[in-house]
Structure formats: C-alpha cells, structure tokens
C-alpha cells in the first residue's frame, strides 16, 4: 500500500501555483516596477488588471485580500457569478473578452470598463444600455495589430472611423486602445508589435481624441508593452498560475 500524499486533483478554478497569492502579486508588481524604471516612467502610471477568467471567486478573493482591486473577465455569465459572490469587496470589473451583441446589456450594467470594442453596433448597444445613473462606461477599442483574420479587433484601416463614432456615444467614454499581438519570441519582436499600437494611439490623439489608455501586455510580454507605453497590463497566468481548461 502506498500511503504517501495523494497528488491533489486540480479542478477548474483552482490554482496550481506553489507560491501564495501575495508572493505572485509582489512578483508581478516587481516586474512592472522594473520595466517602468527602465523606461523612465512612474510605476503608478501603469495599472495592473488581473485577468481572472476560469478562476473561482475564492481565488479572486485571495488576490483581492492582498490588495489587487481591478479584475478583467472574458465570459459574462462567469463574471456575473463572481461579482455576486464578491460584492462585499470594493473591486472594479473590466470586460476584456469578445462581445456578442445579445450579451451587451449585462456588460453595460455590471462593468466599469470594456477593453474589447471592435465594432460600432456593439458600442451603440453598450451606450444605449448603460444605466442612466451610472458614469459612462470607460472603453478601449481593440486593435488587431497582427492582422490575423481569426483574431478580434479592428484593422488599422478601420480604426479612425470607429474611434470617431464611438467618441460621440453618450453612454461611453473612449479612453484608448487595447491589443493582443501574436506571441513573439523575443523582446525586440514584442516591442515592434506594441510600437504599432502606440503609433495608432498617437495618430488618434493627433486627430483630436483625448486618450490616456494603452491596454497591452500580458504575462509573457508585459515588459515589452510597458517599454512601449502601456498604461494597463492585463495579467492572468503570472498571478493565478496556468488555467486548467483552455479558453
Ligand atoms: C486571458 C487574457 C489575458 C491574460 O493572459 P495571460 O497570458 O494569462 O497573462 C489578457 N488579456 C486578455 C484579453 C485575456 O483574455
């Protein structure tokens, strides 16, 4: 008989990381601080958004107790359940996943930010469905920087027209751009993709848009993103461990 400790079976929503939530949070904050210092920027100008898709409300709570306040979610139903379980915590919720038009109402009602605006119809619905008593929904347009047809986001060609339209919608405040470049092996390649996002952002500002947000950089490339001007990094794996089921 083998009476040794049984390996814990990992269920969706649990995390396999041997570090404590506080240690993982410190490590990510350290990476952000180092990249900020290297680029001559203030650490306080870069916000950490914890991308918590697939992780349970209990796991989110453990990180929130360590001081993390902003969480990004990709799936409406999953997010609403977590928000309900965590309503005693002062958290800010960002929607960062693809948006189907039949899901805009709960997003408009239950989130502070949306990073993944990629067509006018979605923006119009979110604006119309934003509750009258709430501040405008803070939004970013998702830019498809790698030109991959399978990926979300608008092309460079469509960006300015969409930005001009979104900026007129009363229920929304256009804050900037979000991008998820294709994974690249080295820092130079990663920086090149983020630099394109930054250039598109600068062009919109020159065109008259008052923007302050570049949502770019994830666990594998947040340093490159910060070096190119990211103001929000969206980090999942480095904070929570590997996701058990693929998304
Ligand atoms: C999951 C996700 C992230 C986080 O990715 P990691 O590589 O796990 O850090 C960031 N942004 C979006 C839109 C995501 O869906």
């Amino acid at each position: 008989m083998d009476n040794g400790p049984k390996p814990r079976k990992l269920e969706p929503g649990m995390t396999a990381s041997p570090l404590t939530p506080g240690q993982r949070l410190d490590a990510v904050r350290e990476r952000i601080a180092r990249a900020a210092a290297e680029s001559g920027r203030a650490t306080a100008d870069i916000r950490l958004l914890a991308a918590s898709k697939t992780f349970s409300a209990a796991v989110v709570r453990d990180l929130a107790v360590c001081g993390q306040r902003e969480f990004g979610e990709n799936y409406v139903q999953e997010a609403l359940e977590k928000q309900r379980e965590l309503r005693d915590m002062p958290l800010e919720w960002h929607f960062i996943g693809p948006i189907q038009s039949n899901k805009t109402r709960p997003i408009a009602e239950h989130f502070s930010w949306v990073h993944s605006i990629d067509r006018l119809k979605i923006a119009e619905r979110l604006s119309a469905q934003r509750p009258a008593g709430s501040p405008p929904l803070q939004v970013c347009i998702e830019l498809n920087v790698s030109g991959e047809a399978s990926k979300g986001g608008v092309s460079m060609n469509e960006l300015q027209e969409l930005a001009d339209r979104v900026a007129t919608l009363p229920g929304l405040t256009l804050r900037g751009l979000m991008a998820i470049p294709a994974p690249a092996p080295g820092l130079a390649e990663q920086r090149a993709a983020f630099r394109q996002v930054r250039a598109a952002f600068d062009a919109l500002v020159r065109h008259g848009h008052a923007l302050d947000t570049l949502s770019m950089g994830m666990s594998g490339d947040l340093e490159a993103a910060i070096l190119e001007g990211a103001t929000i990094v969206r980090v999942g794996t480095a904070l929570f461990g590997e996701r058990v089921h693929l998304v």
Side-chain angles (χ1 to χ4, degrees):
M1 275 287 285
D2 173 13
N3 292 319
K6 286 209 182 73
R8 188 177 63 141
K9 183 168 176 292
L10 208 56
E11 306 282 355
M14 291 167 54
T15 142
S17 172
L19 301 178
T20 67
Q23 288 170 328
R24 294 191 299 262
L25 183 58
D26 284 347
V28 172
R29 285 177 169 168
E30 184 64 37
R31 286 177 63 188
I32 293 170
R34 237 178 291 133
E38 197 181 327
S39 49
R41 305 177 55 204
T43 305
D45 292 345
I46 300 145
R47 295 157 77 184
L48 172 59
L49 181 66
S52 44
K53 61 174 176 274
T54 79
F55 290 100
S56 69
V59 169
V60 169
R61 182 180 294 275
D62 286 343
L63 198 66
V65 165
C66 299
Q68 177 63 30
R69 286 285 170 265
E70 294 160 280
F71 289 86
E73 289 282 339
N74 296 56
Y75 307 105
V76 176
Q77 206 49 47
E78 178 190 330
L80 296 186
E81 281 164 30
K82 273 180 236 185
Q83 289 178 358
R84 217 170 296 126
E85 286 188 53
L86 295 164
R87 60 179 177 267
D88 58 309
M89 307 283 299
L91 306 182
E92 183 177 88
W93 295 95
H94 296 226
F95 195 84
I96 61 176
I99 304 174
Q100 298 163 270
S101 56
N102 64 350
K103 296 282 174 58
T104 52
R105 183 174 296 281
I107 295 173
E109 291 177 349
H110 296 285
F111 287 82
S112 299
W113 281 71
V114 173
H115 294 227
S116 41
I117 300 284
D118 64 356
R119 54 199 196 275
L120 184 61
K121 181 184 172 195
I122 295 296
E124 286 174 339
R125 290 177 64 92
L126 290 170
S127 176
Q129 292 167 342
R130 184 67 171 169
S134 302
L137 193 56
Q138 308 298 298
V139 304
C140 293
I141 292 176
E142 182 177 352
L143 182 63
N144 184 340
V145 68
S146 311
E148 295 165 280
S150 60
K151 289 278 177 64
V154 287
S155 68
M156 290 281 188
N157 295 337
E158 303 163 310
L159 175 61
Q160 185 176 310
E161 190 187 340
L162 181 59
D164 289 349
R165 303 282 213 97
V166 169
T168 68
L169 297 172
L172 310 183
T173 299
L174 179 60
R175 298 291 295 268
L177 299 179
M178 186 273 258
I180 313 173
L187 186 70
E189 294 94 330
Q190 293 171 357
R191 287 189 66 167
F194 291 128
R195 202 172 305 132
Q196 288 182 54
V197 186
R198 173 61 187 267
F201 174 93
D202 288 342
L204 291 175
V205 171
R206 278 198 304 277
H207 186 66
H209 289 286
L211 306 178
D212 63 4
T213 301
L214 270 170
S215 168
M216 57 188 198
M218 315 199 296
S219 295
D221 56 13
L222 69 88
E223 285 84 1
I226 290 169
L227 287 164
E228 297 299 339
T231 65
I232 300 182
V233 291
R234 308 175 314 272
V235 177
T237 309
L239 286 173
F240 297 110
E242 296 289 337
R243 287 178 287 276
V244 171
H245 53 246
L246 290 179
V247 292

